[in-house]
Amino acid sequence: LGGGVFLVGVVGVWAGVGGGGGGEGRALAQHVVIYTGDPPALHPAILDNVKNSFGIAIDAHRVSFVYLRARVLVEPHLYPMFTMIGQSFGGFLLSLEAALRYPPHVFIDSMGYAFGYAALRWMAGAKVGCYVHYPTISGDMLQAAAALSRPTPSSSSSSSSSSS
């Protein structure tokens, strides 16, 4: 695309299964870039999801899909321990890949990979915004993790033994 086209990039790495991407950038852009980990066969389904979810029909000629190979780095199965930290670091690397492969003027995160915002701002010079349904780390997740680490009191602090 030429330098005179205003680009809005939207992260929707699971956009093909309704996981975000597309609808957030349509009003501002001359061209929308959807960063995804979904294969090209799912691209029409992504546009259908935007239409069905947001009531917005996007002209397919105004959309580019950029496949991000680093999507695997945000999949929870890679991190059986420290999942939130691993996914946050993976989101940072995913954002770096997006910034290097196809830097937009405005970057909208719809997946919750906040650790990558600085990379996009500094490396790509993009304005960064977000429209996040399910953040990588949320308050309820932190509370659940804290509850798991608290010791639970036993029903009785003394033990008894019987003698025969």
Side-chain angles (χ1 to χ4, degrees):
L1 291 172
V5 176
F6 187 75
L7 295 175
V8 173
V10 180
V11 169
V13 293
W14 281 286
V17 292
E24 296 83 5
R26 57 77 172 96
L28 304 170
Q30 294 171 332
H31 196 84
V32 176
V33 177
I34 298 176
Y35 301 97
T36 183
D38 294 319
L42 289 179
H43 294 174
I46 293 170
L47 296 180
D48 286 342
N49 283 342
V50 170
K51 185 176 181 182
N52 295 334
S53 298
F54 299 102
I56 301 165
I58 296 179
D59 179 3
H61 300 305
R62 293 180 50 202
V63 177
S64 293
F65 291 91
V66 176
Y67 182 78
L68 299 177
R69 289 180 283 269
R71 178 174 94 170
V72 68
L73 298 176
V74 296
E75 294 180 6
H77 69 84
L78 282 181
Y79 312 102
M81 296 181 64
F82 307 108
T83 305
M84 291 185 285
I85 293 169
Q87 285 184 297
S88 294
F89 182 69
F92 173 77
L93 295 175
L94 191 71
S95 299
L96 275 177
E97 182 184 359
L100 293 171
R101 297 211 43 226
Y102 209 118
H105 294 98
V106 175
F107 183 84
I108 300 174
D109 173 29
S110 64
M111 301 302 296
Y113 303 130
F115 284 42
Y117 297 170
L120 283 149
R121 176 72 181 130
W122 293 328
M123 290 191 66
K127 303 284 185 194
V128 178
C130 62
Y131 178 77
V132 178
H133 299 281
Y134 305 104
T136 306
I137 299 176
S138 65
D140 61 328
M141 290 177 187
L142 293 174
Q143 288 174 351
L148 288 173
S149 66
R150 284 188 216 124
T152 56
S154 63
S155 59
S156 171
S157 60
S158 63
S159 63
S160 62
S161 63
S162 62
S163 57
S164 41

